[in-house]
């Protein structure tokens, strides 16, 4: 049972890392090009709201991996949203 629990945690950790860091290239590209015209403001706002709710959920259940992954993702998304508002 312990081995399967460790495998489950490892899979969850890798998934959280990938889905969190996937926003970094987008943010860096926007900083480099200052181009946000093709980004949907509504889609990013909806996604950020969903991530914020996942963050609240993580806090409510006391899950550090869920909290950390969603906190970092939310910070990256808020950064992208602020660049979208700044650069149009």
């Amino acid at each position: 049972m312990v081995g399967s629990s460790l495998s489950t945690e490892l899979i969850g950790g890798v998934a959280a890392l990938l889905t969190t860091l996937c926003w970094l290239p987008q943010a860096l590209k926007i900083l480099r090009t200052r181009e946000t015209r093709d980004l949907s403001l509504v889609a990013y706002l909806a996604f950020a709201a969903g991530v914020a709710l996942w963050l609240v959920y993580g806090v409510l259940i006391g899950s550090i991996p869920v909290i950390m992954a969603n906190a970092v993702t939310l910070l990256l998304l808020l950064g992208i949203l602020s660049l979208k508002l700044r650069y149009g």
Side-chain angles (χ1 to χ4, degrees):
M1 199 61 142
V2 172
S4 100
S5 178
L6 183 59
S7 298
T8 301
E9 290 298 315
L10 182 61
I11 290 169
V14 171
L17 185 67
L18 291 173
T19 58
T20 297
L21 295 181
C22 77
W23 299 102
L24 195 54
Q26 182 71 68
L28 294 173
K29 182 178 180 185
I30 294 168
L31 286 170
R32 190 175 60 250
T33 65
R34 293 179 168 32
E35 180 58 51
T36 62
R37 186 175 9 148
D38 292 335
L39 299 180
S40 169
L41 181 60
V42 172
Y44 271 82
L45 285 170
F47 192 69
V51 170
L53 290 172
W54 275 112
L55 177 56
V56 170
Y57 173 75
V59 170
L60 292 173
I61 66 169
S63 173
I64 297 299
V66 173
I67 293 168
M68 294 304 296
N70 286 290
V72 173
T73 300
L74 187 58
L75 287 175
L76 289 169
L77 285 170
L78 291 175
I80 291 169
L81 280 167
S82 69
L83 292 169
K84 170 69 174 166
L85 294 172
R86 183 174 182 184
Y87 299 128

